[in-house]
Amino acid sequence: MGLFDFVKEAGHRLLNDMGDTAKSAASNMGQQVAADNVKKHLDKYNIGTENVNVKVDGDKALLSGEVTDQASLEKAVLAVGNLLGISHVNASELKVQNNNTSMGGKNSRFYEVKRGDSLWQIAESVYGAANGDKYKVIFEANKPMLSSPDDIFPGQMLRIPNIDAA
C-alpha cells in the first residue's frame, strides 16, 4: 500500500471531533501542530496504531512506523485521509506486524461515497443486487470511525472488505 487520494474538501464531520481549538491550531500554527492533532485524532480510535508516526506537509500526510495488522493499516489511512484538508495519504513507510491480512488473504478495497449513497446501496453496488443486507459488513469494517450506518457523507472514503470474509 502506498499513496492514497482523498477529497480535500470532504471530511469536516470527522474533523469536528477534534474541536475548534485543534482545528484552528492545525490550520494556523504549522505542520507540526497539524501532525500532532492528526496523530491525536488517529489514536482516539484505538485501532492498533500506537506506533504510527504522522507528518503533514500541506494537504499531504505521511504515515510511518508500525501497525498491528492489515485492517489497522487500512483504517489508519482512512481515518487520516477523511480529515478536512487532507488530499493524499502516503502509507508506504507503514509496516504491518502481522502480515496475514484480516480479510480472507486479500486487502479490502476503498469506496468513495457519492451523494445519495447509503451503506445498503453501496453493499448492493459492490456485492451484488441481492446483498444489500451486507451493509453491516461495511459498517463493521469502518468502525470505530463510523458510529452509525447512517453517518456517511459524499467524498468520504470507506473500507469495503471482501465478501468472502463476511
Side-chain angles (χ1 to χ4, degrees):
M1 297 200 122
L3 186 65
F4 299 88
D5 295 323
F6 291 84
V7 178
K8 183 177 178 177
E9 294 79 23
H12 65 280
R13 293 174 72 183
L14 293 178
L15 192 57
N16 283 343
D17 294 341
M18 294 172 62
D20 291 336
T21 304
K23 287 188 288 186
S24 176
S27 63
N28 296 328
M29 296 189 63
Q31 295 164 349
Q32 183 57 46
V33 172
D36 291 346
N37 284 312
V38 170
K39 174 65 173 155
K40 287 177 190 173
H41 175 77
L42 181 60
D43 286 347
K44 79 177 183 177
Y45 291 123
N46 296 315
I47 54 174
T49 56
E50 299 79 21
N51 297 318
V52 172
N53 301 307
V54 177
K55 291 183 183 175
V56 176
D57 183 12
D59 64 348
K60 298 170 187 67
L62 172 66
L63 304 180
S64 62
E66 190 172 66
V67 293
T68 55
D69 56 25
Q70 184 65 31
S72 295
L73 184 147
E74 294 167 1
K75 287 182 177 187
V77 168
L78 290 176
V80 172
N82 280 325
L83 289 173
L84 183 66
I86 299 292
S87 64
H88 305 285
V89 176
N90 185 340
S92 61
E93 295 182 26
L94 206 50
K95 306 294 181 236
V96 178
Q97 287 176 2
N98 177 1
N99 233 358
N100 296 330
T101 62
S102 62
M103 307 319 294
K106 299 178 184 175
N107 293 346
S108 299
R109 55 188 151 160
F110 292 163
Y111 177 89
E112 182 180 333
V113 176
K114 295 165 190 61
R115 184 175 202 74
D117 272 351
S118 69
L119 288 186
W120 184 281
Q121 291 166 322
I122 295 168
E124 286 193 336
S125 171
V126 297
Y127 297 138
N131 288 301
D133 61 338
K134 298 291 184 187
Y135 80 91
K136 297 172 193 168
V137 174
I138 298 170
F139 176 65
E140 289 297 322
N142 288 279
K143 277 179 145 179
M145 285 86 61
L146 290 182
S147 57
S148 165
D150 299 322
D151 194 23
I152 62 173
F153 55 90
Q156 181 180 23
M157 297 294 281
L158 297 174
R159 230 175 128 237
I160 308 295
N162 293 307
I163 193 104
D164 298 339

